Amino acid sequence: MTKPESLYPVCLHPFRADVAAKPERMLNPFTYDPHPLAKQAAEELQAYIATHPDVKAAADEGKMFGVLVVAPHSSHQKGGTNVSAHDTNEAPLGGAVGGALTFLAAYSGLLGGRNDWPWFVPPVFDAQQPDGYFKTHEREISDINHEIERLEQSEEYARLKSAHEEAVKKAQETVSSYKNKVEKAKALRDMLRLQRNMSPEDNARLVKESQFMKAELHRIKKQQEALVKEKEQPLREMEERILRLKRQRQQLSDSLQRWLFEQYVMLNEQGERKSLLDIFASPDFTERPSQTEVTTLLSLGEGLGVRPLPPAGSGDCCAPKLLQYAFTHGLKPLCLAEFWWGKPPKTEIRHHLHFYPPCRGKCLPILRWMFSDFRWGEDNESRYEVRGTRYENRNEERREERGSENSNESIIAPTILYEDSSLAVLVKPAGMLSVPGKIDRPSVEQFMRERWHDEVNPLIVHRLDMETSGLMVVARTKWAHQQLQAQFANHEVRKRYEAILDGPWPADRPTEGEISLPLRPDLDDRPRQLVDPVYGKEARTRYRVMVVSRTSSTFLSLFPLTGRTHQLRVHCAHPDGLGLPILGDALYGKPADRLYLHAAEITFRHPKTGEMLTFTDEPDWFPSTP
């Protein structure tokens, strides 16, 4: 029997039906398949959104929502130390609900431009007060923006640029015209000098003419340079003025951001406090970007100082807001779930009502601080693992049983299709890494090192995602590796993948075509990729629909023309691509028993013999064409 809702504080919500079995302690939120109790809370939040028109209208534009199931708990125990809600200067809420499980709800950032919607937890720090420090200084920065925009779009600036461009053009034409005259005069002098009867006086005249024209060309250049500089000076003065404003804007923006992140003081389960600046500056929590990501950061205009700012929006995502409220009010968090509602964003892949874990860039460092005992997100396995811990080896001759004779678990191992002194072609099973990673999983590289008894030369020519199965080429020597990689770089290698899409094929969409969506890493949520027309790298894929099944799935072949990370997965899932995620793609769709993507065919030139080789390995789950 549930208690009347009037007995609950405004942010705590009772369950409308009998609840599922609760976990004993907080579960890892970095999973794509939340606990049933968190799913139940999410369904109640979704019902609330659907029945409140104002909230729904704002949410329909696209927003991440989250729920946190909590239990009454007047103190958090850690290592024998009790940290009560009283220590946080907030009254505990546990007594108001009489021991019943409840849940909290949140939205990321602002919802419809507001952060004060009733029914949801408040922000960690309210920066939206009209007369507050943040908004006051934000308006100051906005005024500078308007002044920069006014100057850059002014008629005076356009006139100065036009006058400068015209002066440069006229100077180039004047100098070029006189140079042509000099060249013609020189050609005529050379002809006259070929005549046998030229007098010394005539030769002296020609020398004098040459000297004069060289001096005149120098004078004309100086004159035109002066005219250009005359037009350039006022233009440079205006550009310097604009540049000073931009520098001032940058300094004010950095200062305001630092001030803001200092106001976000996050609690952990021991009741300790730390600002976002300190959390992200800690070497324990900062993940260093790769060189490629550094280049991307610089191209995006981001700073890489000694103490970089946290990503914009840190602390305003659902998970930190929910946990902060729980810790502040003496509530014990149990399980969390986040889901997307409404229109998908332009760059990220988000599907209506799909569950997603907190992002790595913004949330992972904060959640590590809040729960110091957990290693959330570090093993990647919790996020990207294909369900099941071991996979059957396709090569029956190499199967090995682990444990007793009755054990059904088999060790992950690839199947060797071809092998010589230069290379090997194998079939990687789903769940196996291409190269050793942070998680404790077998890899193709290590398997080949052990097979060849060589710790130096086995070199991975190209990679498959851990969840993707199929054909891979491994070089046995450095020379073969260089030759094969050159073929990949020059797009000489042809590949075919087979996939199952999670949904029926739209009747109005062509069954063959090409997708072209530029991709770059999502620096706030690695290893996810974004579609970015400005900074993304070209990514092209041909596709051909093979079978549309009666079970709401689409079977198709994919032919990558470039080799970007997650290219096929993003091109399938993104609304501007096929709009249907690959079945089992937890990153860009929904989890399943596996990711149904298989590298089925590869054609390349043997580095030693020059022979064109083609290898095929059709997945057993792909139906034959009718």
Side-chain angles (χ1 to χ4, degrees):
M1 180 177 180
T2 61
K3 292 181 179 291
E5 188 172 356
S6 59
L7 295 179
Y8 291 81
V10 66
C11 290
L12 280 175
H13 310 296
F15 285 91
R16 301 298 180 186
D18 293 338
V19 299
K22 71 173 184 176
E24 290 302 317
R25 60 169 299 174
M26 180 65 183
L27 297 180
N28 189 343
F30 287 93
T31 58
Y32 279 82
D33 192 12
H35 188 274
L37 192 55
K39 288 183 177 180
Q40 186 175 341
E43 290 172 359
E44 298 208 13
L45 170 55
Q46 291 161 10
Y48 176 87
I49 296 171
T51 55
H52 288 74
D54 291 346
V55 176
K56 184 177 182 300
D60 285 346
E61 294 303 310
K63 180 59 62 176
M64 191 73 77
F65 289 87
V67 291
L68 177 67
V69 179
V70 295
H73 191 38
S74 60
S75 66
H76 303 293
Q77 299 214 351
K78 179 69 178 175
T81 301
N82 292 339
V83 182
S84 69
H86 177 72
D87 296 329
T88 66
N89 298 319
E90 295 283 352
L93 299 177
V97 295
L101 289 180
T102 54
F103 68 90
L104 303 167
Y107 46 84
S108 64
L110 302 177
L111 179 62
R114 292 173 51 186
N115 67 357
D116 59 350
W117 290 88
W119 211 81
F120 296 91
V121 300
V124 175
F125 175 75
D126 186 2
Q128 301 301 311
Q129 295 300 316
D131 298 326
Y133 183 93
F134 183 81
K135 281 297 181 183
T136 299
H137 287 76
E138 189 180 55
R139 284 192 293 272
E140 181 181 352
I141 296 171
S142 180
D143 290 342
I144 295 174
N145 275 333
H146 292 321
E147 179 63 11
I148 292 171
E149 183 178 353
R150 185 190 69 79
L151 291 174
E152 289 181 334
Q153 297 181 1
S154 67
E155 292 183 2
E156 176 67 9
Y157 188 41
R159 184 187 65 79
L160 292 174
K161 287 198 294 185
S162 177
H164 178 255
E165 291 169 359
E166 184 64 29
V168 170
K169 181 180 178 182
K170 186 176 180 181
Q172 291 172 342
E173 291 175 347
T174 301
V175 171
S176 178
S177 175
Y178 195 79
K179 278 184 176 180
N180 289 334
K181 184 177 179 181
V182 169
E183 290 173 359
K184 289 179 180 179
K186 181 180 181 302
L188 181 58
R189 290 195 300 272
D190 291 343
M191 283 180 38
L192 292 174
R193 287 191 176 102
L194 292 174
Q195 296 178 6
R196 296 181 179 179
N197 299 325
M198 177 176 286
S199 66
E201 291 79 5
D202 288 338
N203 185 62
R205 180 178 58 79
L206 294 180
V207 171
K208 187 175 181 180
E209 178 185 86
S210 174
Q211 293 172 340
F212 172 79
M213 296 192 79
K214 288 180 180 179
E216 183 66 8
L217 177 60
H218 180 73
R219 185 189 66 80
I220 290 173
K221 285 182 178 180
K222 289 293 185 181
Q223 180 189 46
Q224 295 302 316
E225 286 173 1
L227 292 173
V228 169
K229 189 173 182 179
E230 181 182 343
K231 299 297 182 182
E232 183 182 39
Q233 184 62 30
L235 175 63
R236 292 292 173 258
E237 289 176 358
M238 179 165 281
E239 288 179 339
E240 279 293 328
R241 181 181 174 188
I242 294 172
L243 182 60
R244 284 194 300 271
L245 287 170
K246 288 182 176 180
R247 288 171 178 165
Q248 182 185 4
R249 177 184 63 185
Q250 185 64 48
Q251 291 171 354
L252 290 174
S253 179
D254 287 349
S255 176
L256 185 59
Q257 282 294 310
R258 289 187 181 279
W259 176 89
L260 180 63
F261 288 131
E262 285 174 348
Q263 311 313 305
Y264 280 75
V265 179
M266 312 302 299
L267 279 166
N268 66 10
E269 60 181 342
Q270 292 99 338
E272 299 169 331
R273 299 169 179 269
K274 186 177 282 192
S275 74
L276 288 185
L277 275 182
D278 292 331
I279 290 174
F280 280 84
S282 170
D284 295 333
F285 305 127
T286 302
E287 293 185 353
R288 297 184 181 277
S290 66
Q291 185 58 48
T292 301
E293 290 166 334
V294 169
T295 303
T296 305
L297 280 167
L298 292 174
S299 68
L300 293 172
E302 300 290 342
L304 291 170
V306 176
R307 193 184 188 194
L309 288 172
S314 296
D316 287 325
C317 297
C318 296
K321 289 167 68 173
L322 290 164
L323 291 167
Q324 181 82 351
Y325 188 90
F327 288 158
T328 303
H329 292 83
L331 299 167
K332 180 181 179 181
L334 296 178
C335 52
L336 180 143
E338 296 187 26
F339 63 88
W340 183 263
W341 179 290
K343 297 178 183 177
K346 291 293 184 181
T347 57
E348 297 176 274
I349 295 174
R350 295 286 186 261
H351 300 282
H352 182 57
L353 300 186
H354 281 207
F355 289 102
Y356 298 92
C359 62
R360 291 179 63 85
K362 297 177 183 179
C363 295
L364 179 55
I366 301 174
L367 268 58
R368 285 181 184 171
W369 157 251
M370 293 180 129
F371 291 91
S372 56
D373 271 2
F374 282 70
R375 298 178 64 83
W376 292 345
E378 290 185 355
D379 58 359
N380 285 348
E381 208 166 336
S382 60
R383 298 191 63 189
Y384 316 120
E385 179 182 15
V386 181
R387 288 187 183 178
T389 57
R390 294 180 176 84
Y391 301 84
E392 185 174 319
N393 183 5
R394 294 161 59 93
N395 186 348
E396 294 295 330
E397 295 178 357
R398 298 186 57 84
R399 282 187 67 179
E400 298 180 32
E401 297 300 322
R402 182 177 283 182
S404 68
E405 293 182 359
N406 296 327
S407 173
N408 292 321
E409 293 183 334
S410 57
I411 297 175
I412 301 177
T415 303
I416 306 296
L417 298 186
Y418 175 85
E419 191 173 13
D420 64 19
S421 61
S422 297
L423 57 89
V425 179
L426 54 85
V427 180
K428 183 186 83 68
M432 188 177 200
L433 295 169
S434 295
V435 297
K438 295 180 180 179
I439 62 175
D440 184 19
R441 270 189 175 273
S443 69
V444 170
E445 181 180 302
Q446 186 60 37
F447 176 87
M448 296 309 295
R449 289 187 189 280
E450 294 174 0
R451 179 180 178 86
W452 287 336
H453 305 289
D454 189 339
E455 290 296 322
V456 178
N457 285 320
L459 299 166
I460 301 300
V461 178
H462 62 115
R463 301 184 185 187
L464 295 178
D465 293 341
M466 183 179 76
E467 305 95 324
T468 305
S469 58
L471 295 165
M472 284 185 62
V473 181
V474 181
R476 196 161 187 171
T477 67
K478 292 182 179 179
W479 181 85
H481 181 259
Q482 293 172 351
Q483 299 300 311
L484 290 167
Q485 279 209 320
Q487 293 184 48
F488 276 90
N490 296 329
H491 305 292
E492 298 174 22
V493 179
R494 298 194 303 274
K495 292 182 287 183
R496 170 174 59 87
Y497 288 74
E498 302 297 347
I500 303 178
L501 301 188
D502 191 8
W505 189 257
D508 58 348
R509 181 174 292 164
T511 56
E512 291 189 49
E514 182 175 318
I515 308 161
S516 180
L517 294 174
L519 304 178
R520 71 164 176 87
D522 184 347
L523 300 177
D524 286 335
D525 199 11
R526 295 173 291 177
R528 295 176 64 91
Q529 304 292 302
L530 298 177
V531 173
D532 189 336
V534 178
Y535 297 106
K537 293 183 178 180
E538 180 189 32
R540 294 165 49 231
T541 304
R542 286 195 299 109
Y543 69 89
R544 180 169 64 241
V545 175
M546 305 302 292
V547 180
V548 177
S549 76
R550 296 179 180 178
T551 59
S552 300
S553 297
T554 301
F555 296 78
L556 83 164
S557 298
L558 296 163
F559 307 88
L561 305 178
T562 55
R564 307 300 175 203
T565 301
H566 294 178
Q567 175 176 317
L568 301 182
R569 298 164 69 173
V570 175
H571 279 183
C572 288
H574 197 275
D576 294 335
L578 300 183
L580 293 172
I582 296 173
L583 183 63
D585 189 350
L587 270 179
Y588 305 107
K590 291 181 179 178
D593 58 329
R594 64 155 290 170
L595 173 68
Y596 284 87
L597 178 64
H598 182 83
E601 183 174 295
I602 188 167
T603 299
F604 61 93
R605 187 178 66 257
H606 194 285
K608 183 176 289 187
T609 67
E611 179 186 2
M612 294 301 296
L613 302 176
T614 298
F615 296 90
T616 60
D617 182 80
E618 304 299 338
D620 51 14
W621 42 260
F622 203 86
S624 58
T625 55

